[in-house]
Amino acid sequence: MAAVSHPVFARVYERLSVAMDRAGTAAFRRDLAAGLTGRVIEVGAGNGRMFAHYPPTVTEVVAVEPERRLRAAAVRAAPAAPVPVTVVDGLAEALPAGAGEFDAAVVALVLCTVPDQAAALAEIRRVLRPGGQLRFFEHVAAEEPGRLRRVQRLSDATVWPRLFAGCHTGRDTTAAIRAGGFAIDELRRFRFPATSSSPSSPCVLGRATRLEQRRH
């Protein structure tokens, strides 16, 4: 059992995620899931906001969520999903799955929060079959040096991770994905909300393929 509990954040996120989806995040989630096939592992499923967007070509989703309250919300959301969804306890750094079990992995606003990105990506790579896809939608460091990147560094060093369950806004997640044994096939950079200068506004949405051999 992962035994992760962030009750205050979980209560806030349950409401915030609905508002974010109405403001545009739902469209990013649809893009994230478009064209997926076979068995999918969703790492950090939260309260299940991705579930509605999986296409019928997906045969099963195993949704991993360590936070107790959010996992319970995901369990409640699963029956309404258009594809079979099983919600399980587990950490990104120790996924409850065997090697090569899945055709694709999905992470949505997750790699910004995990304590160890490299370990989480190694686990995702382990449970994917060779050639399997990683779909990602993440907060990342601002692309250009300047004020926003400085604000991100300050936020990450002070209050932001404490307020948002470990979220770090200034991570170079695309570099971590490449270093983790994936080739990035598609990458879209944008701000959400589009006019925001919040530390969490720089985002990426993309697709990557599990390489046969990790790059060193």
Side-chain angles (χ1 to χ4, degrees):
M1 300 290 288
V4 174
S5 181
H6 298 290
V8 175
F9 169 78
R11 288 187 182 93
V12 172
Y13 184 77
E14 284 185 82
R15 296 190 296 271
L16 181 62
S17 62
V18 174
M20 287 173 60
D21 277 2
R22 288 174 180 160
T25 303
F28 302 140
R29 295 186 190 277
R30 283 194 296 273
D31 290 347
L32 196 64
L36 286 172
T37 61
R39 297 189 76 221
V40 175
I41 185 167
E42 183 181 338
V43 182
N47 54 336
R49 300 300 298 179
M50 275 297 304
F51 296 169
H53 303 293
Y54 286 107
T57 46
V58 170
T59 57
E60 180 188 13
V61 175
V62 174
V64 181
E65 175 51 51
E67 206 288 324
R68 295 169 178 174
R69 183 183 177 95
L70 292 177
R71 185 170 64 252
V75 168
R76 293 192 296 271
V83 300
V85 176
T86 302
V87 179
V88 299
D89 189 9
L91 296 170
E93 298 90 344
L95 293 173
E101 276 195 37
F102 294 95
D103 300 293
V106 171
V107 287
L109 308 177
V110 169
L111 293 177
C112 56
T113 65
V114 294
D116 188 333
Q117 267 195 337
L121 286 162
E123 272 292 272
I124 291 170
R125 186 179 184 280
R126 179 184 68 81
V127 302
L128 283 177
R129 63 169 175 77
Q133 275 202 339
L134 170 61
R135 303 286 186 92
F136 56 95
F137 166 36
E138 294 291 341
H139 301 301
V140 293
E143 192 171 9
E144 300 295 331
R147 180 183 177 277
L148 182 53
R149 193 180 288 183
R150 292 193 296 272
V151 170
Q152 287 180 320
R153 284 198 296 266
L154 178 62
S155 299
D156 289 355
T158 54
V159 298
W160 198 274
R162 296 177 187 177
L163 292 175
F164 297 101
C167 175
H168 290 74
T169 63
R171 290 179 171 175
D172 189 350
T173 298
T174 55
I177 290 170
R178 290 188 178 99
F182 294 88
I184 294 180
D185 306 308
E186 297 180 21
L187 182 66
R188 175 183 167 195
R189 293 185 180 272
F190 55 96
R191 284 196 187 183
F192 179 79
T195 58
S196 175
S197 57
S198 162
S200 64
S201 60
C203 296
V204 293
L205 192 151
R207 304 180 181 190
T209 301
R210 180 197 187 276
L211 297 171
E212 189 65 28
Q213 300 292 331
R214 290 188 63 170
R215 290 170 176 165
H216 298 286

